Amino acid sequence: MNAHDNTPVPPPGCPAHGSGGRVPLYGPDFAADPQAYYSFLRHYGPAAPVELAPGVEATLVTDYAAALQLLHDSGSFRKDARRWRAFNEGKVSPDSPVTPLLAYRPNCMFADGAEHLRLRQAVTDSMARIDMRRLSRSTEQVSRYLISQFAARGSVDLLGDYAKQLPLFIFSELFGCPADIGDRVLFGISGMFDGINADKATEVLYQAVGELVTLKRSRPGEDVTSWLMQHQARLTDEEMVHQLALLLGSGVEPLRNLIGNTLHRLLTNDRYAREGGLIDEALDDTLWENPPVSNFAPHYPAADMEFAGQQLQAGDLVLISFAAANTSPAQTEARRSGSNRAHLAWSAGPHVCPSKEPARHITVTAIEELFNRLPDVHLAVPEESLTWRPGPFHRALTALPARFTPVGVPRGTAPQAATAPQRHEEPGPAPKPERTGMWSQFLRWLTR
């Protein structure tokens, strides 16, 4: 803070110096120490002006109470991204790197009112039908398979070879993907989030999901796709495709980051033991202090208004900083005497994450499996050498290298094939993904 006025001073190296006070939430400096940026942003009050990418302006809510107020006020703040004024006026390019996650799609995340209630109820009811015992078996199977791929080496990138891969397999099973469709779903989601050939990856994902919908119309099963299709909301095929793409995409990326960030906490903090309920404790602390989605929940004021100390115009882009709200000084103090699960990592209000319980269950099971099978796993590099992926929305490591005592992988240890996902041949020709079919490989391993 400047000693002669009340103008906040940006952190050293922050490009906000000379930028009119709008703080950029991208680049290596922000990725390396986002909490320094959040501390600076709090000088503006409960909300602050930020830049998500060059030329993409937004208001970021950093206060816990203000965030809760906004998330529950669906009258004043809307989710339909077709209200985004800067985008409609051509000030934000469709080619901007943040546009794919902010631009309108016909799914429950971008819906308001009765349409949101209809789509969201179908999603919530379908996700509620997931059997946690079956989910545990599936997570154990996938964990053992992935561990078997590196157990004999004695070294592994726990992010790239484990945390990043596991959600892809779990969601393919939950949504009833047969082998070839599952291969293309995995290819599509990976490409979209990795930014590698993203246009082709998006095309492959939506085509694969479309084929999955066609398949399940004629051959339903015990899976989220079939339950969503059978819901009384009577979703059309187009609505099915967009809800499934949302659930698969928004489920996989945050879950891989949650697993990776929780493993990072366990491997870099001596106060956690690798057994019993302390994995749950590490998970809760991660959700408070290092949530996998740090800044998101886009909203748009329905009319010109003042909110959290900022003047907003109708259609302005407003985001919630879950990371800043969770770690604000007032909330840190309240946390000591309150619930350890009152964080905002899952968001809140009518758009709260519908899969928070499955995500928590998968994370704990996957970490328990890893530590049970590789009990001496430890970080292979100094903690300060780890790097974080740049970007305004997520909190994600680039890698988490670890070492352990190599172990043999005896043959014939796969679980019984009766719990394996059903296999179907999808109708019509399908283009092959540009990588080895990971889902097919897993199914072969499972039944050998």
Side-chain angles (χ1 to χ4, degrees), residues 142 145-146 165-173 438-439 442:
V142 172
Y145 167 71
L146 293 174
Q165 302 297 336
L166 189 140
L168 295 169
F169 289 98
I170 297 296
F171 274 73
S172 288
E173 197 278 336
M438 295 185 295
W439 185 237
F442 168 63

Side-chain angles (χ1 to χ4, degrees), residues 108-153:
C108 60
M109 189 176 85
F110 294 108
D112 295 303
E115 184 66 2
H116 170 255
L117 288 175
R118 184 178 73 90
L119 297 174
R120 175 58 189 242
Q121 196 63 52
V123 168
T124 301
D125 291 347
S126 300
M127 296 299 291
R129 293 182 64 177
I130 294 173
D131 184 336
M132 289 300 173
R133 290 173 298 181
R134 175 185 170 191
L135 184 61
S136 290
R137 290 194 301 270
S138 177
T139 305
E140 290 166 2
Q141 290 169 347
V142 172
S143 299
R144 292 168 189 170
Y145 167 71
L146 293 174
I147 293 168
S148 76
Q149 306 302 296
F150 56 76
R153 296 204 311 256

Side-chain angles (χ1 to χ4, degrees), residues 67-389:
L68 271 181
Q69 179 185 343
L70 186 153
L71 290 168
H72 283 93
D73 188 356
S74 55
S76 302
F77 292 93
R78 307 295 170 80
K79 290 288 291 178
D80 190 334
R82 289 173 294 188
R83 293 175 174 267
W84 189 6
R85 185 169 51 82
F87 186 81
N88 293 336
E89 294 174 354
K91 296 178 180 178
V92 175
S93 168
D95 297 329
S96 170
V98 297
T99 299
L101 289 179
L102 294 173
Y104 173 79
R105 298 182 190 275
N107 59 44
C108 60
M109 189 176 85
F110 294 108
D112 295 303
E115 184 66 2
H116 170 255
L117 288 175
R118 184 178 73 90
L119 297 174
R120 175 58 189 242
Q121 196 63 52
V123 168
T124 301
D125 291 347
S126 300
M127 296 299 291
R129 293 182 64 177
I130 294 173
D131 184 336
M132 289 300 173
R133 290 173 298 181
R134 175 185 170 191
L135 184 61
S136 290
R137 290 194 301 270
S138 177
T139 305
E140 290 166 2
Q141 290 169 347
V142 172
S143 299
R144 292 168 189 170
Y145 167 71
L146 293 174
I147 293 168
S148 76
Q149 306 302 296
F150 56 76
R153 296 204 311 256
S155 64
V156 64
D157 172 10
L158 285 175
L159 189 76
D161 295 332
Y162 195 64
K164 185 177 177 179
Q165 302 297 336
L166 189 140
L168 295 169
F169 289 98
I170 297 296
F171 274 73
S172 288
E173 197 278 336
L174 282 178
F175 285 78
C177 293
D180 187 62
I181 291 179
D183 287 339
R184 285 179 286 134
V185 165
L186 266 59
F187 168 78
I189 294 174
S190 296
M192 287 176 66
F193 281 104
D194 291 344
I196 300 172
N197 202 4
D199 289 341
K200 172 66 177 300
T202 302
E203 179 184 352
V204 170
L205 173 63
Y206 274 87
Q207 182 173 352
V209 171
E211 291 180 22
L212 180 62
V213 169
T214 300
L215 174 64
K216 294 299 179 178
R217 286 287 185 200
S218 60
R219 300 160 72 177
E222 288 298 309
D223 51 69
V224 174
T225 304
S226 300
W227 300 331
L228 194 61
M229 190 174 290
Q230 296 159 4
H231 194 270
Q232 62 184 8
R234 298 185 180 278
L235 303 185
T236 66
D237 283 0
E238 180 184 17
E239 289 173 333
M240 281 291 305
V241 168
H242 283 284
Q243 307 321 303
L244 289 171
L246 169 67
L247 290 172
L248 288 163
S250 64
V252 166
E253 173 74 5
L255 182 54
R256 70 168 60 165
N257 296 343
L258 180 58
I259 296 170
N261 293 0
T262 305
L263 282 170
H264 167 265
R265 179 171 288 271
L266 286 161
L267 294 177
T268 58
N269 194 318
D270 291 337
R271 81 179 186 84
Y272 298 108
R274 297 175 180 175
E275 57 183 302
L278 289 184
I279 292 177
D280 280 286
E281 183 181 343
L283 173 57
D284 285 324
D285 290 345
T286 297
L287 289 165
W288 274 104
E289 300 170 19
N290 206 26
V293 178
S294 46
N295 307 294
F296 202 53
H299 285 76
Y300 305 89
D304 294 355
M305 64 186 299
E306 188 277 336
F307 179 79
Q310 298 290 320
Q311 292 296 325
L312 303 175
Q313 291 184 316
D316 279 352
L317 174 60
V318 182
L319 300 184
I320 301 294
S321 178
F322 305 118
N326 283 348
T327 55
S328 61
Q331 193 56 35
T332 299
E333 182 63 31
R335 178 184 167 194
R336 294 191 180 100
S337 57
S339 168
N340 201 34
R341 296 187 182 177
H343 55 75
L344 294 180
W346 307 117
S347 191
H351 288 269
V352 67
C353 176
S355 57
K356 60 181 181 179
E357 291 306 321
R360 184 181 190 91
H361 199 78
I362 291 167
T363 300
V364 171
T365 303
I367 293 175
E368 285 178 344
E369 281 291 321
L370 179 72
F371 287 154
N372 286 340
R373 293 178 179 274
L374 306 174
D376 66 344
V377 64
H378 59 279
L379 198 62
V381 297
E383 179 185 357
E384 57 270 20
S385 71
L386 297 174
T387 58
W388 300 83
R389 286 164 49 196

